[in-house]
Amino acid sequence: MTTSTDASTVGLEARPAPAAPTRVRRVVGLVDTDSFAKWGAHLLASSPEGWDLELVTVATPRSASTGQLRSAFRGLDGRLAGAAAQPPATTTVDAIVDRLRADPPDAVLVSLIGPVAELVIDQVHRRVPNRPVLVTGLPGISFPAKWKGIFFRARADLFVLHSHREVRAYEELSRAGGLEPAFALATLPFARPARPGQVRPTANGATRDAVVFAAQPSVPTDPADRARIVHWLADTARAHPEWRVVIKTRAAAGEHQTHREQYPYPDLVPSDAPSNLVVETGPMAEHLARAVALVTVSSTAVLEAVSAGVPALTLTDFGVAPQLINEVFVGSGLPGDASDLVAGRFRTVRPEWLRDNYFHPAAEDDWAARVEELMRQRDAGTLTDRPAARRSRGGALRRAWERKTALGRDDRSVLGLVALVIGTPVRRTKQLVRKVIRASRPTPPTAGLEGLRDGDQQLVARRDAG
């Protein structure tokens, strides 16, 4: 005997159950200075398609200008494409934390300079129930590892770095400081893996006619050394009138940078400089599109050049040392000196240097997967808080001091003013004592010769000889 069946149910048992919709993850990126804005935005742009992204500029004394933000956000994908045309206006820390408290996202990327990063991370821990996952990191080259970078960001759930070498160094330093490492690997978003020696074609058939010097605000620091660089660049321009020698700065007059610049290069260019020596700003990618070569002391821009297949030169005339941020290039084939610059002898990177130093295969990146796992822990209520590196916060007055020094005029609290009045002479005394102690210590050697190639041994020997 047969029974009738409603047509709407025929074959229902044979159909596969519909897949559960993938949850859209909301991730907010907090940025402030030019370099942190560029890094944070482009890292988020490389995140999984299922993430809904938002950028917020934090109001601090060193927040990037609208022009700097437009430059930093150039080339972002569809989810953040509007940021370059209309960068987000600056928002105070308190207003940001209030928004996070009212509507917590799944994760927050804290792409901020150290003191501001520490303040924001602390405020989220204190004031945001069911807090979002806190992700942080450092833009550009972060080798050798620096304790201060860890110190300010220790309470973040994940710390993003950009090479296997950096991860090893930061894990070692973190453990030595009594902290459990939580470092993840991401390819620098503006230094994708490259094929050495293959130069990307120029856009719209532009001519490659520029030697680009990537200026840094604090490397080298001595004004005489910075003037020497300008002198070498002028000599290069005279020796090669067919080239434009470009001093590419990261900020126009009056704009702030991640690191303070006491002696801007534009102020050091002599009045009789050749006409083909010019000072320009703008996105580095646009300069590299017409570059014959990239020259620097240690700027992350050299990695952008390697990625684009543009020859490069890292100047070693001032030595090879942690404070110059150029130890990482020993063994890369890129170091040279002023005579190489003036003669136009530029270098291509040694292939064996790449994998351990910023150009690992993309499949080895784990940062996004680690963030996804942390967000699942948050969903389940099992996300744990990480301890601070700062062992004693000194109560409300100490926190007010940290807030005031991080935010400057953007902190208008009475307690912050009180802390500033009390804390400033104490801080100056401590700085003076540290300066005296440093001056009394012998200068340690900045690099060893073991394991270096002949050319690298020569450059270190020149350095040690003064």
Side-chain angles (χ1 to χ4, degrees):
M1 177 174 143
T2 61
T3 59
S4 63
T5 306
D6 189 298
S8 65
T9 64
V10 172
L12 183 61
E13 296 80 8
R15 294 176 186 162
T22 302
R23 178 179 169 185
V24 175
R25 296 291 189 177
R26 192 161 64 90
V27 180
V28 175
L30 306 180
V31 302
D32 55 0
T33 66
D34 56 332
S35 58
F36 276 99
K38 180 177 179 179
W39 173 73
H42 287 266
L43 180 71
L44 284 183
S46 70
S47 65
E49 290 297 327
W51 293 10
D52 180 39
L53 306 178
E54 179 186 0
L55 285 174
V56 179
T57 306
V58 181
T60 76
R62 287 193 248 174
S63 295
S65 70
T66 299
Q68 286 175 304
L69 291 176
R70 287 198 181 104
S71 178
F73 297 157
R74 193 76 55 86
L76 293 174
D77 75 355
R79 291 173 293 171
L80 293 172
Q86 190 172 0
T90 56
T91 307
T92 66
V93 167
D94 287 338
I96 290 168
V97 175
D98 286 343
R99 285 172 54 184
L100 297 178
R101 181 183 176 88
D103 186 16
D106 294 283
V108 173
L109 175 63
V110 183
S111 182
L112 305 167
I113 58 174
V116 183
E118 183 185 34
L119 172 65
V120 169
I121 291 169
D122 177 69
Q123 288 291 293
V124 171
H125 274 279
R126 287 175 177 274
R127 295 178 52 195
V128 181
N130 190 28
R131 67 169 181 84
V133 172
L134 294 167
V135 185
T136 192
L138 296 170
I141 295 169
S142 302
F143 183 90
K146 296 178 179 62
W147 176 248
K148 187 176 288 188
I150 299 171
F151 180 86
F152 286 125
R153 300 168 177 85
R155 296 185 74 191
D157 301 294
L158 195 68
F159 192 127
V160 178
L161 295 167
H162 302 100
S163 77
H164 289 294
R165 190 176 185 181
E166 285 185 355
V167 170
R168 290 195 304 272
Y170 272 85
E171 286 179 343
E172 181 180 351
L173 184 60
S174 182
R175 290 193 180 98
L179 299 174
E180 184 62 30
F183 300 102
L185 183 65
T187 301
L188 267 172
F190 30 87
R192 300 296 179 196
R195 293 182 179 179
Q198 292 192 3
V199 180
R200 292 177 186 169
T202 58
N204 302 319
T207 302
R208 289 194 176 274
D209 62 354
V211 171
V212 180
F213 172 71
Q216 296 165 270
S218 58
V219 177
T221 56
D222 187 273
D225 289 341
R226 296 170 78 83
R228 287 170 66 195
I229 290 176
V230 173
H231 174 75
W232 299 332
L233 293 170
D235 284 349
T236 304
R238 294 188 187 97
H240 302 276
E242 72 279 13
W243 291 343
R244 296 171 65 252
V245 179
V246 180
I247 301 175
K248 195 279 180 190
T249 63
R250 288 166 43 181
E255 292 180 324
H256 299 287
Q257 301 179 66
T258 301
H259 301 285
R260 299 185 189 279
E261 185 170 30
Q262 278 190 289
Y263 308 103
Y265 281 101
D267 297 345
L268 301 175
V269 177
S271 58
D272 62 347
S275 59
N276 59 326
L277 176 65
V278 297
V279 178
E280 296 179 355
T281 59
M284 178 56 73
E286 294 183 3
H287 287 280
L288 290 176
R290 58 183 297 184
V292 173
L294 186 285
V295 182
T296 188
V297 176
S298 59
S299 170
T300 300
V302 75
L303 302 180
E304 295 187 61
V306 170
S307 177
V310 173
L313 185 68
T314 58
L315 298 173
T316 58
D317 303 82
F318 310 107
V320 178
Q323 62 269 25
L324 293 169
I325 326 174
N326 61 356
E327 290 180 323
V328 71
F329 295 115
V330 172
S332 69
L334 301 177
D337 59 22
S339 65
D340 296 310
L341 168 60
V342 177
R345 292 190 295 264
F346 305 114
R347 315 297 172 81
T348 56
V349 71
R350 291 173 180 156
E352 63 270 24
W353 180 84
L354 293 171
R355 181 165 186 164
D356 208 32
N357 296 280
Y358 309 103
F359 294 96
H360 55 273
E364 295 174 6
D365 288 345
D366 64 351
W367 80 277
R370 298 271 297 277
V371 175
E372 291 275 9
E373 173 56 29
L374 287 166
M375 290 190 290
R376 285 191 290 270
Q377 292 177 20
R378 176 178 180 266
D379 294 342
T382 59
L383 184 64
T384 59
D385 292 345
R386 300 179 61 81
R390 191 186 294 277
R391 302 309 182 195
S392 173
R393 298 191 63 81
L397 191 62
R398 174 70 195 202
R399 290 195 298 273
W401 162 261
E402 292 162 8
R403 177 187 172 91
K404 187 67 177 178
T405 54
L407 300 181
R409 64 180 180 274
D410 292 295
D411 171 46
R412 298 178 175 87
S413 66
V414 174
L415 190 57
L417 182 60
V418 171
L420 188 66
V421 171
I422 296 173
T424 298
V426 175
R427 185 185 196 186
R428 287 176 179 166
T429 300
K430 287 183 176 179
Q431 289 173 336
L432 179 61
V433 170
R434 288 174 187 151
K435 187 175 181 180
V436 170
I437 291 173
R438 282 196 300 268
S440 66
R441 290 174 179 167
T443 303
T446 55
L449 299 181
E450 296 80 11
L452 302 187
R453 293 172 181 263
D454 290 342
D456 296 323
Q457 291 178 358
Q458 291 169 11
L459 73 88
V460 174
R462 288 200 301 272
R463 176 212 67 206
D464 291 341

